[in-house]
Amino acid sequence: MNKRTRTLATALVSTLSLALTACSTGPSGEGSRGPERKNPAAANAGAVLGGTPQKGGTLTVLSNQDFTHLDPARNWVMPDMDFGTRLLYRTLVTYKAGPGAEGSELVPDLAEDLGTPSNGAKTWTFRLKAGLKYEDGTPITAQDIKHNVERSFSPDLPGGPDYAARYLVGGKGYQGPGQGKHLDSIRTPDARTIVFELHTPFAEFPFAATLPTFAPVPPKQDKGPQYDSRPFSSGPYKIESYARDKQMVLVRNTHWDPKSDTVRKAYPDRIVVTMGLKGTQIDDRLIASSGGDASAVSWAQLRPESISKVLTKADVKARLLAESSSCTEMLQMHTGRAPFTDLKVRQAVQWALDREAIVTAAGGPAVTDASSAAMPGSLFTGGKQPDTLGIPLAGDPEKARKLLEEAGKPDGFSTGLTVSTGDKAIGEAIQQSLGKAGIEVTIETVDPSAFYDTIGDTRNRTDLVYTGWCPDYPSGSTFLPFVFDARFIKEKGNTGNQSLFKDDATMKRMDEIAAMSDGDAANKAWQELDGRILAKAPVAPAASKRRTLLVGTNVAGAYGHTSWGGQIDYATVGLKDPSKSAN
Amino acid sequence: MILYLGRRLLGVAGVLLAIAAVTFTIFYVLPSDPAAAACGKACSDERLEAIRAHMGLDAPLWRQFTDFVTGIFTGRTTGTGQYALRCDFPCLGYSYENSEGVWDLLVDRLPVSASLAVGAAVLWLALGLTAGVTAALRKDTLTDRALMVGAVAAASLPVYFTSVLLIYGFIRLTGLLPYPSYVPFTSDPASWAANLLLPWLALAVLYAAMYARQSRGSMIESMAEPYIRTARAKGLPRRTVVVKHGLRAGMTPILTVFGMDLGGLLAGAVITESLFGLPGVGRLFYGALTTGDQPVILGVTLLAATFIVVANLAVDLLYAVVDPRVRY
Amino acid sequence: MTTTTTPPPVHGGDGAWRAVRAELRRRTSLKVSLAVVVLFALMTVAAPLIGALGGWGPEEFDKSAVDPYLGGLPIGPLGGVSAEHWLGVEPITGRDLFARVVHGAQVSLLIAFAATAIVVVAGVAAGIAAGYFGGRADAVLSRLMDLTMSFPSLIFMIAMMSVARDANRTLLMILVIGLFGWPGVARVVRGQTLSLKHREYVDAARVGGSGPWRILARDVLPGVAGPVIAYTTLMVPGMIATEAALSYLGVGVRPPTPSWGQMIAESVAYYDTDPMYFLVPSLCLFLTVLAFTLIGDALRDVLDPRGGRT
């Protein structure tokens, strides 16, 4: 999933919300001043807060926004996918419920296993568990899953993952089941078997099958665009009420059978999501954690101005989750336009960039790590990014100036940078650090809603853009090809390859790796390719954010799930003492 | 009178149509593309075109506008087949961001903004008029001075500052009030008021100060009118003179301003709602702006304009009641 | 709106200014207000010079003044007040608050004054045209005023600012704020012109063979000057507040340019962790608005004893 969806979600309500998340073990700071200090928020990484929950009670979720989409055909925003697939609908396959690396392991959900490939991984067959039911007691069928996959093609239901559209035979030109047309490449020989025919081998299909696209929607309940406000439940909870941007109340789905589900624990009796609150007020309420707020968790990330209030109190700090978001952010240069056609100029930018200032702008080392590679740490062996470039964290303006001189630009030059409104402070940090090397930067801040359209217009966009990428699942194949393959470049609506990097050697290597059958060898190869690409300097690695979430004192079983961008795993979160929760 | 009313209503319709046209033109030449925003990441050109057609964005601008205007009265259907969306009178379009009709959204948020506006208005009228009239009747005394100095200072306080002060004092420091979150009046009036008290105060401080200044001036002026002297000379009690004659005439200009203010606020106090996190029309509008949700932007603008125009009309009609000199 | 008939104001001239000076001597608050306005006006004009006194540029980062491990909070008491940073620093960036508030004054006041100028010029022109020529011109202009006033102005301004992304933000803000302000002035002027139109001295000028432009310039314009000046002074605070509101909502100036509204917007959330950061721009905004209101009040009392309430 790319940053678009995530940023959209972050910015729905508060324009200044800084997305605060990142890799748990980035390079430690060679701080420019003072003795090296330990990351004060990393203590809870990989831990479960509050022990094992008790059944019952009401869990409150305090949110600064509404869900982007809960319709499974349209849900493609990390935390929203967590909420949808953990509470309301089940998918063929899902991620294990557990902190740290456990969270990237696959387990069967609706299906009996992780799927059976045949025909050289071009045909995938899944068999559903027996006795699965919807909230009204009617059985969940393979046809319903087919229906939802088809729905994801409909222009009436935009916004969802496009893996089905990218791989299924006959997907091109198909416009969904609205007009009564169906896809022949999804076969359902009986109510419990579903077969997908792909046009290219896709060994990682089980990972894709964790996406909400592969959740069941019964055609009888399908109300088109309005389904978004009332998805029909196949999970442990069903929607009692949903007032957009105000409040959602979930109650138990009595037809969900815990014996059929190895992942979801469904501890609370009710889950109430209060939406549209002010970010700082959510923080203040959870810091105080009094009354009903003790049984509350935060949906929105900790605001930068609240960080000091949390880190200075040990008891509050102990309730802070700061799991890696598995996304990295980069300063991407338009490699097709002068002066960035010159390798030396691009290297000068890499050397000039003050990642320390960027980290501070993104909330400080407690919630953000400086990044030294394109791919996030989670895609590297040992979960840690290598530092192949060896540039000091605070940058080296002298060296950058020298590189500019070698490039024939001793007096520097001026250029433009586009950042999303939420990253304004980061933009200013970039502006300041490149300025020291003689590169004068003008900042364009763009609303998150228009951000990807603006930078996707390759002809009119600024030379520099600050954006990132999140892998859809833990594999280099969902990162490097999206970000550095020139064949993905479009003149308008360009996504991913924002440096417009065109390098034949890189593309050749990517094709070779994609064809590898040995997963471990492929992973190693991706990791090594990352360093080779950085040496050609299409981007300057910048930062990797953590998702910082506060939980109340009565909350148990909470951890940030690595596969959901560090959002709290809603499959297992609950309360220590249900009797203390409100209503 | 009937003729006058008819003429005015016709004018109101004309003004609204003009505002709709201007808004439409401005927002539909926006550089951001709602179809692209809805499509999400990795959107193929083919899919983008399909979505654009579905949203009706492929039609020429004038066509979209006439569709919009006729749609208000006759309703519209967008999309085809099983997923067609029917939007009935009064159809203001469909918000793809919120997956809800614009009219339904407005109806849903309006109670919040209206609660905020009306509550604040009651407060500021009570505070402002009392202060203003008191000051006017004790012109040039210490009370007058103190009241007016206070009013000038309060009117100069930025609303951000007042709000933060209130939140800190009443919530963080003393815990006297809950963090504002809207509770409908119908479900729990006490909690409704407790939650809205701070936003009311924040708005009322500002407006009360302005109204105090205004009503003082206008009261002093009307008390100097010859008919007041006559009334006094007739030996009418001071109270009657002040309330029945002075206040009545003095209120005319206040009424005008009040109509405008209330009309404007009903459609959402963007900043106050954002400071207190109230899910009103103002926040709906602001959210729509950041996500490029054009149907909502258009809907809120029209709603706000309607309130202002109707408030003006109501005020003009009220003149006849308040000010005996006015006849239609 | 309900300007029935406005009695003749003191005409702009020696008498009026003498009265203003007398008023100034009488009221201490006015002296203080004037001092405040002069101070901020000076800041506006000489922002780079005054800002340079502190030794920091408004866009210059100071990493050593903030603690990254506390979310970038300033190091030291009162938001990092020190000999180096007179009013402390901005959290996260460590930018000097003194430099920013001084440069912010420039942006905020420039926008407010320029928008006021537009409003006055457009409003006076439209008001005189409507009032003096009457007939069709009056009908058209009055309709236009009604229409403009029916626009939900703040909502419209926000929307217009967010539409135009690439434009010069400062200029755009001036134009947008000006666009919705002129009908107020136009109404005052129209009413005033109507009452002046048939004064004896105007009639005399007309009989004496003066053309309409000459009459407008020599006889009508000075007559409307008084109320307009008073009205305008009272309008400035509104303009400053509007700029602040737009910048607060994130559709104002472009970073890293400071303006008071932008500074308040970013500092509101720090009100308890770094109160100094929030207080500095808020107080500046408060003082300026207060000063202009007091001066406007005084001017109105002298120049337009019964006007100023449209």
Side-chain angles (χ1 to χ4, degrees), chain B residues 109-127 182 185 192-193 196-197 199-205 207-208 211 258-269 272-273 278 280-281 307 311:
Chain B
R109 305 302 165 86
L110 197 56
V112 183
S113 294
S115 301
L116 177 62
V118 173
V122 170
L123 262 181
W124 90 56
L125 275 183
L127 290 174
Y182 182 71
F185 180 77
W192 169 81
L196 281 168
L197 189 59
W200 282 343
L201 276 173
L203 269 182
V205 164
Y207 281 92
Y211 278 62
F258 181 68
M260 293 279 277
D261 287 343
L262 189 65
L265 276 181
L266 274 175
T272 311
E273 281 175 21
L278 291 171
V281 182
F307 277 130

Side-chain angles (χ1 to χ4, degrees), chain A residues 369-387:
Chain A
D369 296 296
S371 177
S372 58
M375 294 201 296
S378 57
L379 299 188
F380 286 95
T381 316
K384 187 174 174 352
Q385 286 180 320
D387 188 4

Side-chain angles (χ1 to χ4, degrees), chain A residues 84-122:
Chain A
T85 61
R86 292 314 215 191
L87 300 174
L88 295 171
Y89 31 83
R90 300 174 64 177
T91 47
L92 285 173
V93 175
T94 193
Y95 292 102
K96 209 170 182 179
E102 243 183 286
S104 50
E105 288 171 35
L106 293 181
V107 286
D109 190 358
L110 289 174
E112 286 178 333
D113 52 31
L114 298 180
T116 317
S118 55
N119 189 17
K122 277 163 88 171

Side-chain angles (χ1 to χ4, degrees), chain C residues 158-287:
Chain C
I158 299 167
M160 287 173 83
M161 293 298 299
S162 66
V163 169
R165 290 212 171 80
D166 303 327
N168 178 334
R169 309 294 291 181
T170 313
L171 187 67
L172 187 69
M173 239 196 287
I174 293 170
L175 290 177
V176 166
I177 298 177
L179 181 66
F180 290 99
W182 68 271
V185 177
R187 289 199 165 179
V188 175
V189 173
R190 178 176 169 273
Q192 194 66 31
T193 313
L194 275 178
S195 76
L196 287 176
K197 198 165 135 185
H198 295 296
R199 283 291 150 72
E200 282 130 15
Y201 68 95
V202 178
D203 282 337
R206 206 174 289 130
V207 172
S210 303
W213 295 112
R214 196 182 155 82
I215 296 175
L216 282 180
R218 291 276 300 269
D219 302 315
V220 178
L221 213 49
V224 299
V228 166
I229 289 173
Y231 187 85
T232 306
T233 320
L234 283 172
M235 207 163 55
V236 172
M239 297 287 181
I240 299 175
T242 308
E243 184 279 328
L246 291 177
S247 290
Y248 175 83
L249 292 168
V251 293
V253 291
R254 194 194 295 261
T257 312
S259 92
W260 290 346
Q262 171 270 331
M263 293 180 75
I264 293 176
E266 285 182 12
S267 62
V268 158
Y270 283 95
Y271 75 90
D272 55 344
T273 43
D274 185 4
M276 191 70 178
Y277 179 34
F278 175 58
L279 280 176
V280 168
S282 299
L283 276 179
C284 284
L285 186 65
F286 171 69
L287 282 180

Side-chain angles (χ1 to χ4, degrees), chain A residues 210-253:
Chain A
T210 62
L211 293 166
T213 322
F214 299 92
V217 171
K220 242 192 280 169
Q221 301 291 340
D222 186 2
K223 296 184 203 74
Q226 271 140 357
Y227 191 74
D228 209 10
S229 307
R230 183 61 178 84
F232 199 62
S233 174
S234 54
Y237 295 91
K238 60 181 177 185
I239 297 175
E240 185 186 76
S241 67
Y242 181 17
R244 280 244 164 207
D245 208 19
K246 288 182 193 156
Q247 197 186 51
M248 173 186 265
V249 179
L250 301 185
V251 293
R252 284 192 187 281
N253 166 15

Side-chain angles (χ1 to χ4, degrees), chain A residues 252-579:
Chain A
R252 284 192 187 281
N253 166 15
T254 47
H255 291 280
W256 167 78
D257 179 6
K259 284 195 285 298
S260 74
D261 199 327
T262 58
V263 175
R264 299 168 184 84
K265 297 287 179 257
Y267 290 117
D269 286 337
R270 279 156 58 86
I271 296 177
V272 176
V273 187
T274 307
M275 295 176 255
L277 299 166
K278 290 279 292 173
T280 41
Q281 292 180 8
I282 297 177
D283 298 341
D284 286 343
R285 283 171 68 168
L286 284 170
I287 289 170
S289 189
S290 60
D293 290 342
S295 307
V297 297
S298 147
W299 178 268
Q301 297 162 72
L302 194 67
R303 298 274 314 164
E305 50 273 20
S306 306
I307 288 172
S308 62
K309 286 188 259 183
V310 173
L311 295 187
T312 47
K313 295 181 195 98
D315 58 320
V316 181
K317 199 170 91 181
R319 292 188 276 118
L320 178 70
L321 292 170
E323 186 52 74
S324 150
S325 70
S326 303
C327 305
T328 52
E329 296 176 356
M330 296 164 264
L331 180 60
Q332 312 212 16
M333 298 165 251
H334 194 313
T335 56
R337 200 190 282 162
F340 294 100
T341 43
D342 189 336
L343 175 66
K344 296 265 185 227
V345 171
R346 302 202 300 263
Q347 284 173 332
V349 170
Q350 285 183 332
W351 280 88
L353 199 63
D354 181 349
R355 281 173 288 162
E356 222 170 48
I358 291 178
V359 166
T360 308
V367 296
T368 308
D369 296 296
S371 177
S372 58
M375 294 201 296
S378 57
L379 299 188
F380 286 95
T381 316
K384 187 174 174 352
Q385 286 180 320
D387 188 4
T388 52
L389 294 173
I391 298 170
L393 271 185
D396 185 346
E398 280 315 304
K399 167 105 184 190
R401 269 181 191 283
K402 219 174 275 161
L403 282 162
L404 282 180
E405 244 167 69
E406 287 170 32
K409 297 247 173 223
D411 303 323
F413 57 92
S414 34
T415 183
L417 162 72
T418 307
V419 295
S420 168
T421 325
D423 287 331
K424 201 187 86 166
I426 294 178
E428 289 179 318
I430 295 171
Q431 182 183 48
Q432 176 75 10
S433 62
L434 296 196
K436 281 186 197 154
I439 304 172
E440 200 184 305
V441 178
T442 318
I443 302 177
E444 308 269 339
T445 51
V446 180
D447 269 342
S449 60
F451 182 67
Y452 286 93
D453 298 332
T454 311
I455 64 171
D457 183 353
T458 55
R459 210 174 278 184
N460 298 317
R461 66 162 246 207
T462 53
D463 292 338
L464 303 174
V465 298
Y466 184 81
T467 180
W469 193 263
C470 316
D472 276 312
Y473 48 84
S475 162
S477 64
T478 64
F479 198 99
L480 292 183
F482 285 95
V483 185
F484 297 111
D485 190 331
R487 290 163 292 191
F488 282 112
I489 298 175
K490 284 191 284 177
E491 193 185 306
K492 278 204 163 183
N494 188 37
T495 50
N497 191 346
Q498 302 294 2
S499 56
L500 300 134
F501 184 57
K502 292 191 182 87
D503 185 60
D504 292 333
T506 304
M507 285 189 276
K508 192 162 153 273
R509 183 69 187 142
M510 286 195 286
D511 289 345
E512 284 166 18
I513 304 175
M516 287 182 185
S517 52
D518 179 355
D520 284 342
N523 275 340
K524 280 252 153 48
W526 287 122
Q527 295 169 11
E528 181 247 359
L529 181 61
D530 187 279
R532 274 204 242 166
I533 292 173
L534 280 191
K536 290 173 183 165
V539 301
S544 187
K545 295 168 180 167
R546 290 164 181 281
R547 192 169 183 93
T548 39
L549 299 164
L550 266 181
V551 304
T553 46
N554 192 30
V555 170
Y559 55 86
H561 196 285
T562 49
S563 288
W564 305 123
Q567 180 59 277
I568 290 171
D569 190 346
Y570 281 91
T572 54
V573 67
L575 303 174
K576 287 177 188 163
D577 181 358
S579 65

Side-chain angles (χ1 to χ4, degrees), chain B residues 121-141:
Chain B
V122 170
L123 262 181
W124 90 56
L125 275 183
L127 290 174
L129 294 190
T130 316
V133 173
T134 314
L137 296 181
R138 306 201 178 144
K139 193 166 174 275
D140 295 328
T141 62

